[in-house]
Amino acid sequence: RSRPRLDDRRSATAAMNLPRVLLVEDDPSIRRFVELAWDDQPVELLQAASVADSLDLVRRAGPFRLVISDLMLPDGSGLPLVQALASDAGLRAGARVAVFSAGLSAERRAELDGLGVDEVIAKPASLSQLVGCLERSLAGARGSAQAGGGVTEDAFAQAVERYFAGDQGLYES
């Protein structure tokens, strides 16, 4: 069993109070692709390669702004993670939940929708899909900041500046 891996940027970004993102993926090449896709994004990226490690990280390192998980992992389906987040609002703590997996049936998509999954991305995922998923989670940061969900007003302002050219009205619309 591999150990949960904190991105190398964790120590440098922890002091900046950046929004946290949990990536649950067992394939090292896909993890690296996602790291590169989000390299210039204002987030602290934590990673897990199994269901057990992802549940451990959610419990001890949360809250997260986004949890994005593969469903096919070495120790089973990623569905228990999604179910745990759906059944425990404190564990989810307002995080957006995204699933990316190959070959999702209509039934599985309906099941994920019923569990409150915000987004489903089919593999292979494109760079624009991954960046868009993250941007949508950051754009929703304002509500968390106001509710004390771990995203600072400064981080929210930076996200509005970066993704909406500072146009608060455009963000709100």
Side-chain angles (χ1 to χ4, degrees), residues 89-117:
L91 192 61
R92 186 167 181 163
R96 280 182 51 88
V97 176
V99 167
F100 71 133
S101 192
L104 291 172
S105 67
E107 294 81 21
R108 178 55 54 107
R109 286 178 183 262
E111 179 182 18
L112 294 171
D113 187 49
L115 291 170
V117 170

PDB file of all heavy atoms in Angstrom, residues 89-117:
ATOM      1  N   ALA A  89     -21.682  15.408   6.069  1.00  0.00           N
ATOM      2  CA  ALA A  89     -21.469  16.805   5.669  1.00  0.00           C
ATOM      3  C   ALA A  89     -20.226  17.391   6.317  1.00  0.00           C
ATOM      4  O   ALA A  89     -19.536  18.218   5.717  1.00  0.00           O
ATOM      5  CB  ALA A  89     -22.695  17.642   6.015  1.00  0.00           C
ATOM      6  N   GLY A  90     -19.909  16.970   7.519  1.00  0.00           N
ATOM      7  CA  GLY A  90     -18.705  17.455   8.186  1.00  0.00           C
ATOM      8  C   GLY A  90     -17.448  16.984   7.489  1.00  0.00           C
ATOM      9  O   GLY A  90     -16.461  17.709   7.405  1.00  0.00           O
ATOM     10  N   LEU A  91     -17.477  15.779   6.986  1.00  0.00           N
ATOM     11  CA  LEU A  91     -16.336  15.234   6.255  1.00  0.00           C
ATOM     12  C   LEU A  91     -16.193  15.923   4.900  1.00  0.00           C
ATOM     13  O   LEU A  91     -15.096  16.275   4.489  1.00  0.00           O
ATOM     14  CB  LEU A  91     -16.520  13.726   6.069  1.00  0.00           C
ATOM     15  CG  LEU A  91     -15.330  12.921   5.593  1.00  0.00           C
ATOM     16  CD1 LEU A  91     -14.176  13.011   6.577  1.00  0.00           C
ATOM     17  CD2 LEU A  91     -15.747  11.461   5.414  1.00  0.00           C
ATOM     18  N   ARG A  92     -17.312  16.142   4.235  1.00  0.00           N
ATOM     19  CA  ARG A  92     -17.274  16.821   2.929  1.00  0.00           C
ATOM     20  C   ARG A  92     -16.897  18.288   3.095  1.00  0.00           C
ATOM     21  O   ARG A  92     -16.171  18.841   2.282  1.00  0.00           O
ATOM     22  CB  ARG A  92     -18.616  16.691   2.228  1.00  0.00           C
ATOM     23  CG  ARG A  92     -18.582  17.258   0.820  1.00  0.00           C
ATOM     24  CD  ARG A  92     -19.775  16.872   0.015  1.00  0.00           C
ATOM     25  NE  ARG A  92     -19.689  17.414  -1.337  1.00  0.00           N
ATOM     26  CZ  ARG A  92     -20.409  16.979  -2.338  1.00  0.00           C
ATOM     27  NH1 ARG A  92     -21.268  15.996  -2.158  1.00  0.00           N
ATOM     28  NH2 ARG A  92     -20.281  17.517  -3.523  1.00  0.00           N
ATOM     29  N   ALA A  93     -17.398  18.913   4.132  1.00  0.00           N
ATOM     30  CA  ALA A  93     -17.059  20.302   4.474  1.00  0.00           C
ATOM     31  C   ALA A  93     -17.175  21.256   3.288  1.00  0.00           C
ATOM     32  O   ALA A  93     -16.344  22.123   3.097  1.00  0.00           O
ATOM     33  CB  ALA A  93     -15.658  20.366   5.087  1.00  0.00           C
ATOM     34  N   GLY A  94     -18.213  21.082   2.479  1.00  0.00           N
ATOM     35  CA  GLY A  94     -18.464  21.996   1.366  1.00  0.00           C
ATOM     36  C   GLY A  94     -17.630  21.744   0.131  1.00  0.00           C
ATOM     37  O   GLY A  94     -17.703  22.516  -0.821  1.00  0.00           O
ATOM     38  N   ALA A  95     -16.830  20.693   0.103  1.00  0.00           N
ATOM     39  CA  ALA A  95     -15.982  20.422  -1.058  1.00  0.00           C
ATOM     40  C   ALA A  95     -16.814  20.064  -2.280  1.00  0.00           C
ATOM     41  O   ALA A  95     -17.847  19.415  -2.168  1.00  0.00           O
ATOM     42  CB  ALA A  95     -15.025  19.270  -0.753  1.00  0.00           C
ATOM     43  N   ARG A  96     -16.363  20.510  -3.431  1.00  0.00           N
ATOM     44  CA  ARG A  96     -16.901  19.986  -4.688  1.00  0.00           C
ATOM     45  C   ARG A  96     -16.311  18.604  -4.860  1.00  0.00           C
ATOM     46  O   ARG A  96     -15.154  18.364  -4.510  1.00  0.00           O
ATOM     47  CB  ARG A  96     -16.496  20.860  -5.875  1.00  0.00           C
ATOM     48  CG  ARG A  96     -17.356  22.108  -6.023  1.00  0.00           C
ATOM     49  CD  ARG A  96     -16.974  22.930  -7.244  1.00  0.00           C
ATOM     50  NE  ARG A  96     -16.905  22.190  -8.491  1.00  0.00           N
ATOM     51  CZ  ARG A  96     -17.932  21.983  -9.326  1.00  0.00           C
ATOM     52  NH1 ARG A  96     -19.120  22.458  -9.042  1.00  0.00           N
ATOM     53  NH2 ARG A  96     -17.775  21.302 -10.451  1.00  0.00           N
ATOM     54  N   VAL A  97     -17.097  17.691  -5.397  1.00  0.00           N
ATOM     55  CA  VAL A  97     -16.631  16.329  -5.624  1.00  0.00           C
ATOM     56  C   VAL A  97     -16.720  16.044  -7.117  1.00  0.00           C
ATOM     57  O   VAL A  97     -17.762  16.272  -7.735  1.00  0.00           O
ATOM     58  CB  VAL A  97     -17.464  15.303  -4.830  1.00  0.00           C
ATOM     59  CG1 VAL A  97     -17.019  13.879  -5.161  1.00  0.00           C
ATOM     60  CG2 VAL A  97     -17.353  15.569  -3.336  1.00  0.00           C
ATOM     61  N   ALA A  98     -15.601  15.586  -7.667  1.00  0.00           N
ATOM     62  CA  ALA A  98     -15.548  15.228  -9.076  1.00  0.00           C
ATOM     63  C   ALA A  98     -15.019  13.806  -9.202  1.00  0.00           C
ATOM     64  O   ALA A  98     -14.189  13.373  -8.404  1.00  0.00           O
ATOM     65  CB  ALA A  98     -14.655  16.196  -9.847  1.00  0.00           C
ATOM     66  N   VAL A  99     -15.522  13.106 -10.181  1.00  0.00           N
ATOM     67  CA  VAL A  99     -15.070  11.746 -10.472  1.00  0.00           C
ATOM     68  C   VAL A  99     -14.556  11.755 -11.891  1.00  0.00           C
ATOM     69  O   VAL A  99     -15.181  12.333 -12.786  1.00  0.00           O
ATOM     70  CB  VAL A  99     -16.232  10.740 -10.318  1.00  0.00           C
ATOM     71  CG1 VAL A  99     -15.872   9.399 -10.912  1.00  0.00           C
ATOM     72  CG2 VAL A  99     -16.609  10.605  -8.856  1.00  0.00           C
ATOM     73  N   PHE A 100     -13.389  11.137 -12.089  1.00  0.00           N
ATOM     74  CA  PHE A 100     -12.943  10.920 -13.453  1.00  0.00           C
ATOM     75  C   PHE A 100     -12.532   9.472 -13.592  1.00  0.00           C
ATOM     76  O   PHE A 100     -11.809   8.928 -12.796  1.00  0.00           O
ATOM     77  CB  PHE A 100     -11.907  11.936 -13.907  1.00  0.00           C
ATOM     78  CG  PHE A 100     -10.533  11.874 -13.326  1.00  0.00           C
ATOM     79  CD1 PHE A 100      -9.429  11.945 -14.159  1.00  0.00           C
ATOM     80  CD2 PHE A 100     -10.309  11.790 -11.958  1.00  0.00           C
ATOM     81  CE1 PHE A 100      -8.151  11.915 -13.642  1.00  0.00           C
ATOM     82  CE2 PHE A 100      -9.041  11.769 -11.441  1.00  0.00           C
ATOM     83  CZ  PHE A 100      -7.951  11.827 -12.294  1.00  0.00           C
ATOM     84  N   SER A 101     -13.143   8.861 -14.606  1.00  0.00           N
ATOM     85  CA  SER A 101     -12.960   7.433 -14.787  1.00  0.00           C
ATOM     86  C   SER A 101     -13.309   7.079 -16.220  1.00  0.00           C
ATOM     87  O   SER A 101     -14.046   7.802 -16.880  1.00  0.00           O
ATOM     88  CB  SER A 101     -13.861   6.672 -13.811  1.00  0.00           C
ATOM     89  OG  SER A 101     -13.520   5.312 -13.756  1.00  0.00           O
ATOM     90  N   ALA A 102     -12.780   5.965 -16.677  1.00  0.00           N
ATOM     91  CA  ALA A 102     -13.069   5.496 -18.034  1.00  0.00           C
ATOM     92  C   ALA A 102     -14.323   4.634 -18.019  1.00  0.00           C
ATOM     93  O   ALA A 102     -14.603   3.935 -17.045  1.00  0.00           O
ATOM     94  CB  ALA A 102     -11.890   4.698 -18.563  1.00  0.00           C
ATOM     95  N   GLY A 103     -15.077   4.703 -19.089  1.00  0.00           N
ATOM     96  CA  GLY A 103     -16.194   3.799 -19.297  1.00  0.00           C
ATOM     97  C   GLY A 103     -17.295   3.843 -18.267  1.00  0.00           C
ATOM     98  O   GLY A 103     -17.739   2.806 -17.802  1.00  0.00           O
ATOM     99  N   LEU A 104     -17.758   5.009 -17.904  1.00  0.00           N
ATOM    100  CA  LEU A 104     -18.848   5.117 -16.940  1.00  0.00           C
ATOM    101  C   LEU A 104     -20.191   4.873 -17.628  1.00  0.00           C
ATOM    102  O   LEU A 104     -20.521   5.530 -18.616  1.00  0.00           O
ATOM    103  CB  LEU A 104     -18.853   6.499 -16.285  1.00  0.00           C
ATOM    104  CG  LEU A 104     -17.683   6.783 -15.350  1.00  0.00           C
ATOM    105  CD1 LEU A 104     -17.702   8.245 -14.921  1.00  0.00           C
ATOM    106  CD2 LEU A 104     -17.747   5.886 -14.137  1.00  0.00           C
ATOM    107  N   SER A 105     -20.940   3.947 -17.099  1.00  0.00           N
ATOM    108  CA  SER A 105     -22.274   3.654 -17.644  1.00  0.00           C
ATOM    109  C   SER A 105     -23.263   4.737 -17.222  1.00  0.00           C
ATOM    110  O   SER A 105     -23.016   5.491 -16.277  1.00  0.00           O
ATOM    111  CB  SER A 105     -22.755   2.301 -17.124  1.00  0.00           C
ATOM    112  OG  SER A 105     -22.987   2.375 -15.730  1.00  0.00           O
ATOM    113  N   ALA A 106     -24.394   4.774 -17.898  1.00  0.00           N
ATOM    114  CA  ALA A 106     -25.464   5.713 -17.544  1.00  0.00           C
ATOM    115  C   ALA A 106     -25.946   5.446 -16.122  1.00  0.00           C
ATOM    116  O   ALA A 106     -26.240   6.388 -15.367  1.00  0.00           O
ATOM    117  CB  ALA A 106     -26.615   5.612 -18.533  1.00  0.00           C
ATOM    118  N   GLU A 107     -26.008   4.167 -15.734  1.00  0.00           N
ATOM    119  CA  GLU A 107     -26.442   3.814 -14.377  1.00  0.00           C
ATOM    120  C   GLU A 107     -25.462   4.337 -13.328  1.00  0.00           C
ATOM    121  O   GLU A 107     -25.867   4.857 -12.292  1.00  0.00           O
ATOM    122  CB  GLU A 107     -26.606   2.291 -14.238  1.00  0.00           C
ATOM    123  CG  GLU A 107     -27.718   1.703 -15.080  1.00  0.00           C
ATOM    124  CD  GLU A 107     -27.314   1.481 -16.552  1.00  0.00           C
ATOM    125  OE1 GLU A 107     -26.107   1.405 -16.862  1.00  0.00           O
ATOM    126  OE2 GLU A 107     -28.234   1.405 -17.384  1.00  0.00           O
ATOM    127  N   ARG A 108     -24.169   4.177 -13.602  1.00  0.00           N
ATOM    128  CA  ARG A 108     -23.156   4.655 -12.646  1.00  0.00           C
ATOM    129  C   ARG A 108     -23.204   6.180 -12.548  1.00  0.00           C
ATOM    130  O   ARG A 108     -23.104   6.742 -11.469  1.00  0.00           O
ATOM    131  CB  ARG A 108     -21.771   4.165 -13.057  1.00  0.00           C
ATOM    132  CG  ARG A 108     -20.612   4.636 -12.174  1.00  0.00           C
ATOM    133  CD  ARG A 108     -20.761   4.306 -10.672  1.00  0.00           C
ATOM    134  NE  ARG A 108     -20.996   2.948 -10.385  1.00  0.00           N
ATOM    135  CZ  ARG A 108     -20.135   2.092  -9.850  1.00  0.00           C
ATOM    136  NH1 ARG A 108     -18.936   2.480  -9.531  1.00  0.00           N
ATOM    137  NH2 ARG A 108     -20.474   0.847  -9.622  1.00  0.00           N
ATOM    138  N   ARG A 109     -23.376   6.851 -13.688  1.00  0.00           N
ATOM    139  CA  ARG A 109     -23.483   8.315 -13.669  1.00  0.00           C
ATOM    140  C   ARG A 109     -24.685   8.758 -12.843  1.00  0.00           C
ATOM    141  O   ARG A 109     -24.607   9.712 -12.083  1.00  0.00           O
ATOM    142  CB  ARG A 109     -23.564   8.877 -15.088  1.00  0.00           C
ATOM    143  CG  ARG A 109     -22.236   8.843 -15.812  1.00  0.00           C
ATOM    144  CD  ARG A 109     -22.383   9.369 -17.240  1.00  0.00           C
ATOM    145  NE  ARG A 109     -21.139   9.284 -17.955  1.00  0.00           N
ATOM    146  CZ  ARG A 109     -20.283  10.303 -18.108  1.00  0.00           C
ATOM    147  NH1 ARG A 109     -20.558  11.470 -17.582  1.00  0.00           N
ATOM    148  NH2 ARG A 109     -19.169  10.139 -18.771  1.00  0.00           N
ATOM    149  N   ALA A 110     -25.807   8.066 -12.982  1.00  0.00           N
ATOM    150  CA  ALA A 110     -27.004   8.388 -12.197  1.00  0.00           C
ATOM    151  C   ALA A 110     -26.739   8.153 -10.709  1.00  0.00           C
ATOM    152  O   ALA A 110     -27.170   8.948  -9.865  1.00  0.00           O
ATOM    153  CB  ALA A 110     -28.195   7.565 -12.672  1.00  0.00           C
ATOM    154  N   GLU A 111     -26.050   7.078 -10.391  1.00  0.00           N
ATOM    155  CA  GLU A 111     -25.703   6.798  -8.998  1.00  0.00           C
ATOM    156  C   GLU A 111     -24.824   7.903  -8.427  1.00  0.00           C
ATOM    157  O   GLU A 111     -25.050   8.384  -7.313  1.00  0.00           O
ATOM    158  CB  GLU A 111     -24.985   5.449  -8.905  1.00  0.00           C
ATOM    159  CG  GLU A 111     -24.551   5.083  -7.502  1.00  0.00           C
ATOM    160  CD  GLU A 111     -23.788   3.767  -7.454  1.00  0.00           C
ATOM    161  OE1 GLU A 111     -23.291   3.300  -8.494  1.00  0.00           O
ATOM    162  OE2 GLU A 111     -23.684   3.222  -6.347  1.00  0.00           O
ATOM    163  N   LEU A 112     -23.829   8.341  -9.202  1.00  0.00           N
ATOM    164  CA  LEU A 112     -22.931   9.414  -8.752  1.00  0.00           C
ATOM    165  C   LEU A 112     -23.701  10.719  -8.559  1.00  0.00           C
ATOM    166  O   LEU A 112     -23.475  11.446  -7.590  1.00  0.00           O
ATOM    167  CB  LEU A 112     -21.781   9.595  -9.737  1.00  0.00           C
ATOM    168  CG  LEU A 112     -20.809   8.429  -9.848  1.00  0.00           C
ATOM    169  CD1 LEU A 112     -19.852   8.635 -11.018  1.00  0.00           C
ATOM    170  CD2 LEU A 112     -20.050   8.233  -8.540  1.00  0.00           C
ATOM    171  N   ASP A 113     -24.623  10.992  -9.472  1.00  0.00           N
ATOM    172  CA  ASP A 113     -25.455  12.186  -9.342  1.00  0.00           C
ATOM    173  C   ASP A 113     -26.270  12.129  -8.055  1.00  0.00           C
ATOM    174  O   ASP A 113     -26.387  13.118  -7.328  1.00  0.00           O
ATOM    175  CB  ASP A 113     -26.364  12.322 -10.565  1.00  0.00           C
ATOM    176  CG  ASP A 113     -27.123  13.637 -10.569  1.00  0.00           C
ATOM    177  OD1 ASP A 113     -26.486  14.692 -10.362  1.00  0.00           O
ATOM    178  OD2 ASP A 113     -28.353  13.602 -10.782  1.00  0.00           O
ATOM    179  N   GLY A 114     -26.818  10.961  -7.743  1.00  0.00           N
ATOM    180  CA  GLY A 114     -27.590  10.775  -6.519  1.00  0.00           C
ATOM    181  C   GLY A 114     -26.751  10.936  -5.255  1.00  0.00           C
ATOM    182  O   GLY A 114     -27.284  11.231  -4.183  1.00  0.00           O
ATOM    183  N   LEU A 115     -25.445  10.749  -5.381  1.00  0.00           N
ATOM    184  CA  LEU A 115     -24.537  10.912  -4.242  1.00  0.00           C
ATOM    185  C   LEU A 115     -23.980  12.333  -4.154  1.00  0.00           C
ATOM    186  O   LEU A 115     -23.120  12.613  -3.321  1.00  0.00           O
ATOM    187  CB  LEU A 115     -23.379   9.908  -4.342  1.00  0.00           C
ATOM    188  CG  LEU A 115     -23.771   8.455  -4.126  1.00  0.00           C
ATOM    189  CD1 LEU A 115     -22.613   7.531  -4.495  1.00  0.00           C
ATOM    190  CD2 LEU A 115     -24.193   8.230  -2.669  1.00  0.00           C
ATOM    191  N   GLY A 116     -24.475  13.225  -5.002  1.00  0.00           N
ATOM    192  CA  GLY A 116     -24.054  14.615  -4.922  1.00  0.00           C
ATOM    193  C   GLY A 116     -22.740  14.925  -5.609  1.00  0.00           C
ATOM    194  O   GLY A 116     -22.117  15.955  -5.324  1.00  0.00           O
ATOM    195  N   VAL A 117     -22.310  14.060  -6.530  1.00  0.00           N
ATOM    196  CA  VAL A 117     -21.088  14.355  -7.282  1.00  0.00           C
ATOM    197  C   VAL A 117     -21.366  15.554  -8.179  1.00  0.00           C
ATOM    198  O   VAL A 117     -22.360  15.594  -8.902  1.00  0.00           O
ATOM    199  CB  VAL A 117     -20.637  13.124  -8.100  1.00  0.00           C
ATOM    200  CG1 VAL A 117     -19.521  13.477  -9.059  1.00  0.00           C
ATOM    201  CG2 VAL A 117     -20.201  12.012  -7.154  1.00  0.00           C
TER     202      VAL A 117
END
